[in-house]
Amino acid sequence: MESLKSPPRQTKHLRLGLAMWSHNHWQDSVYGSTTKQAERLARYATIFNTVEGNTSFYATPNAQTVMNWLSATPDDFRFTFKLPQTITHQKQLQHCQQELLQFFQVMSPLAEKTGLWKIQLPAHFGPENLPALAQFLNQVPQGLTYGVEVRHAAFFAKGEAERALNRLLMDKQVNRIIMDSRPLFALPPANEEIIDAHKKKPQVPVHAIATANTPVVRFIGQTDGTIEALAASNDRLQVKNNDSFFKNWLQQLPAWIKEGREPYLFIHTPDNQTAPELAIRLYQQLQRQIAAEVSLPMIKLLDPPLAAPTAQMQLTW
């Protein structure tokens, strides 16, 4: 398959984003009260410089939608799009040349704004399927940056299967996507949002390895305050909070940056309502951690709207 043009390498040091760019709960913190739904991506891109484009996993967007996304974002913004599930899950990377061609033809206008094309593989895609992955990585458009997310237990067992996967990814200069769901699964099934997230997210060990120059970390955090709220009703509850689980990333992410890599950090919460606030808070910890070596740019959410004046405040004297 012919090559597409990869985006130019920029010294962003670290890219920070969320699982999506559109969420009704973010109206005041990310978009502003008067922002319409069609304008949300443009507003999101003024704060965060990357995003997980998960919609492409379920359906390839039409050409007009692609052009809308292109025009809504600045030149230095970077999408990360999942390859369609018809390719990764239904056909398991085999006999899918036509689907691959069609997908990249539609998405080609966004090639220079896409920092990573994600190949998310199902849990039953195991060591015996590695030859299919190797062949597939030879068939995808060259000149682009790819990431592979695996979920089969053998790829986390530190045995020959995992070593073979890592060798393949290093040889092809493909990034291994890292899922850190420890904060999520540390929580008891205390509400519907946590129960739903437990069902949807994989519980796999965290192996912080960089197989190429764009390490990707998906940090599935807790809603800040959850632990404190649960502990108030159960004094025997002992669960680590987001900061405890993020502590190791305060060492690993700066280490990758010092090596000249450009990590992508995506922050989730069970319902993603407060993901923007958690993302900014953890990012500020990284800023302080690496301040002596690298100056990461300031990122902030919108100021909260002013409270409506009370009857007493409206009195004049």
Side-chain angles (χ1 to χ4, degrees), residues 42 66-74 110 113:
V66 168
M67 296 310 296
N68 291 344
W69 294 346
L70 180 66
S71 63
T73 49
L110 282 169
K113 281 190 180 180

Side-chain angles (χ1 to χ4, degrees), residues 36 121 253:
K36 299 176 181 178
L121 299 172
L253 290 167

